[in-house]
Amino acid sequence: MTNLGALGGDAAARAVTDTVAEAVAALRPAAGRDWSDVRAGRTEWNCLRTAEHVVSDLFAYATQLATRAPDAYRPVEYTVDPPHDGAAVAKDALEAIEAGGVMLALTCRTAPRAARGFHPYPFRSAGREGFAAMGMAEVLLHTHDMAQGLGVDFRPSAELCGYVLARLFPHVRQGEDPWRTLLWVTGRGELSGEEPVETWRWYNNPLVEAERLTMEALTVPAAADLALGGDGGFDWVSGGPFEGTREGASLITAAYEKGAFRPEWTSYVLVRREDDRAVGSMGFHGPPDEDGQVEIGYDLAVAARGKGYATEALRALSTWALAHDGVDVVTARVDPANTASRHVLERGGFARAGHVDEAGGVLVFERRAD
């Protein structure tokens, strides 16, 4: 899997900067032309309008993140000044794209890890890595559109394309050529063995709120970092992350490489809001089955046990799951000798449902929608 190594604001900022640099370098040979007379690939826009869209997105994403916009886009718009001649405005457009990249990169570098801003798709918010990846996607895809119209070559690095795919399209296998996969999944190209894509959307990781905790769905890059022994971009309490969290992260990366990962039905890191420290993880073993059943498991750092965090998170995440259409029951399995986990399940609203087998080796608890 292609990734950018260490997670965090600095890595996100570098990725934005590198993406913009590659795009501007590809388009610069065509800066002497009038972009307002050239259609941008398969879009209905001309290349100048497309460039303005990229500029607007870069600045808008920076604004959303910097101001922590809660529930809507800020009422601002960014455009390139009207041209006195068509060739001159193309150069201005490239400068504006560079400026937008600087603003988004700077915002990602300085924003706190927990900062979120409004974005409508699909879970109503994004953090610094999410806005960075969306900005990268806008630059990569619309540079492709403009390059097609202007007749210049553009093939961005596999590392950048791979990160955008892993962060925003985790339900899709990267394959051997991440750039071709990114074009296919956004309706801009063909991929061997796959049907053409007509409608698409990307995914930012969802959040589930509890009394003292925010549960942040693990992204594929974060899971990959955890599986390799890193911190996944989180500041953990002493002793964390525990081994179960790393095992769950390995399952996420394995599912992603098979094209079987589902962004909502993943592991969630339990983050204490008072100090932004991660105390454990809780998540699903996969999406709901055909009977409307989904299984949940959890893992808490030793230093965070005995404080009610697991019960609080279990109650909130199971309630969130049962609110989804097609989910009728949330189950959990526990060793009969694990009294502490049995009490967590009971306090979280789960009832004993029997054994997983006749030998009685594992107890099954469940919480139903009614």
Side-chain angles (χ1 to χ4, degrees), residues 268-288:
Y268 289 72
V269 174
L270 314 182
V271 180
R272 197 164 55 195
R273 281 197 296 274
E274 66 178 18
D275 58 3
D276 197 39
R277 302 286 296 277
V279 300
S281 68
M282 181 173 292
F284 305 101
H285 293 191

Side-chain angles (χ1 to χ4, degrees), residues 205-242:
N205 58 322
L207 305 181
V208 178
E209 300 287 355
E211 290 90 342
R212 296 169 294 169
L213 304 171
T214 296
M215 289 169 277
E216 303 184 18
L218 267 180
T219 65
V220 169
D225 188 66
L226 279 167
L228 292 173
D231 58 17
F234 297 90
D235 184 14
W236 292 84
V237 297
S238 176
F242 209 58

Side-chain angles (χ1 to χ4, degrees), residues 150-166:
L150 295 167
V152 298
D153 292 330
F154 178 58
R155 185 175 181 83
S157 68
E159 184 179 45
L160 297 175
C161 299
Y163 180 75
V164 170
L165 284 168

Side-chain angles (χ1 to χ4, degrees), residues 14 21 29-30 48 50 99 152 157 162 175 190 198 210 214 222 225-226 233 237 258 279 282 307 328-329 356 363:
R14 288 194 301 272
L48 178 58
T50 304
V152 298
S157 68
E190 297 179 352
E198 297 182 358
T214 296
D225 188 66
L226 279 167
V237 297
K258 296 176 182 177
V279 300
M282 181 173 292
K307 297 176 172 58
D328 298 316
V329 58
V356 73
L363 291 176

Side-chain angles (χ1 to χ4, degrees), residues 27-342:
L27 294 173
R28 198 176 297 283
R33 297 177 57 183
D34 183 353
W35 288 10
S36 63
D37 286 338
V38 181
R39 182 175 175 178
R42 301 179 183 180
T43 74
E44 297 180 355
W45 295 338
N46 61 46
C47 288
L48 178 58
R49 175 68 186 89
T50 304
E52 286 185 329
H53 175 77
V54 172
V55 172
S56 182
D57 279 339
L58 291 172
F59 277 98
Y61 291 163
T63 300
Q64 293 298 99
L65 181 59
T67 64
R68 320 289 196 269
D71 52 19
Y73 273 109
R74 298 302 189 190
V76 292
E77 184 177 2
Y78 302 90
T79 61
V80 178
D81 287 338
H84 46 274
D85 71 75
V89 80
K91 296 178 182 178
D92 292 343
L94 290 179
E95 290 185 2
I97 291 173
E98 289 179 314
V102 169
M103 291 300 295
L104 180 55
L106 180 62
T107 306
C108 291
R109 180 171 286 116
T110 57
R113 192 210 65 81
R116 306 279 292 197
F118 170 81
H119 186 276
Y121 300 113
F123 304 119
R124 308 293 289 178
S125 72
R128 61 192 183 189
E129 287 89 355
F131 277 117
M134 289 188 292
M136 293 166 65
E138 295 286 355
V139 172
L140 292 172
L141 297 170
H142 289 304
T143 297
H144 164 78
D145 299 336
M146 290 184 283
Q148 277 194 321
L150 295 167
V152 298
D153 292 330
F154 178 58
R155 185 175 181 83
S157 68
E159 184 179 45
L160 297 175
C161 299
Y163 180 75
V164 170
L165 284 168
R167 189 59 176 74
L168 298 180
F169 301 94
H171 55 297
V172 175
R173 293 182 67 247
Q174 285 191 19
E176 297 181 358
D177 188 342
W179 177 227
R180 179 173 293 182
T181 302
L182 183 58
L183 293 177
W184 165 74
V185 79
T186 57
R188 287 172 168 83
E190 297 179 352
L191 198 64
S192 177
E194 301 289 351
E195 294 293 325
V197 173
E198 297 182 358
T199 60
W200 58 274
R201 70 177 185 181
W202 53 43
Y203 289 88
N204 277 299
N205 58 322
L207 305 181
V208 178
E209 300 287 355
E211 290 90 342
R212 296 169 294 169
L213 304 171
T214 296
M215 289 169 277
E216 303 184 18
L218 267 180
T219 65
V220 169
D225 188 66
L226 279 167
L228 292 173
D231 58 17
F234 297 90
D235 184 14
W236 292 84
V237 297
S238 176
F242 209 58
E243 60 186 33
T245 296
R246 296 198 188 280
E247 291 172 2
S250 297
L251 294 176
I252 290 172
T253 58
Y256 174 68
E257 290 168 358
K258 296 176 182 177
F261 179 67
R262 297 297 174 262
E264 293 177 87
W265 305 102
T266 181
S267 291
Y268 289 72
V269 174
L270 314 182
V271 180
R272 197 164 55 195
R273 281 197 296 274
E274 66 178 18
D275 58 3
D276 197 39
R277 302 286 296 277
V279 300
S281 68
M282 181 173 292
F284 305 101
H285 293 191
D289 63 21
E290 58 186 12
D291 296 322
Q293 178 173 294
V294 63
E295 185 176 349
I296 199 169
Y298 49 90
D299 179 65
L300 217 60
V302 175
R305 295 176 185 175
K307 297 176 172 58
Y309 293 138
T311 298
E312 178 181 320
L314 183 64
R315 187 181 297 116
L317 195 58
S318 60
T319 297
W320 175 88
L322 289 169
H324 284 69
D325 291 338
V327 179
D328 298 316
V329 58
V330 180
T331 66
R333 302 185 186 193
V334 63
D335 189 302
N338 192 339
T339 304
S341 285
R342 290 170 61 182

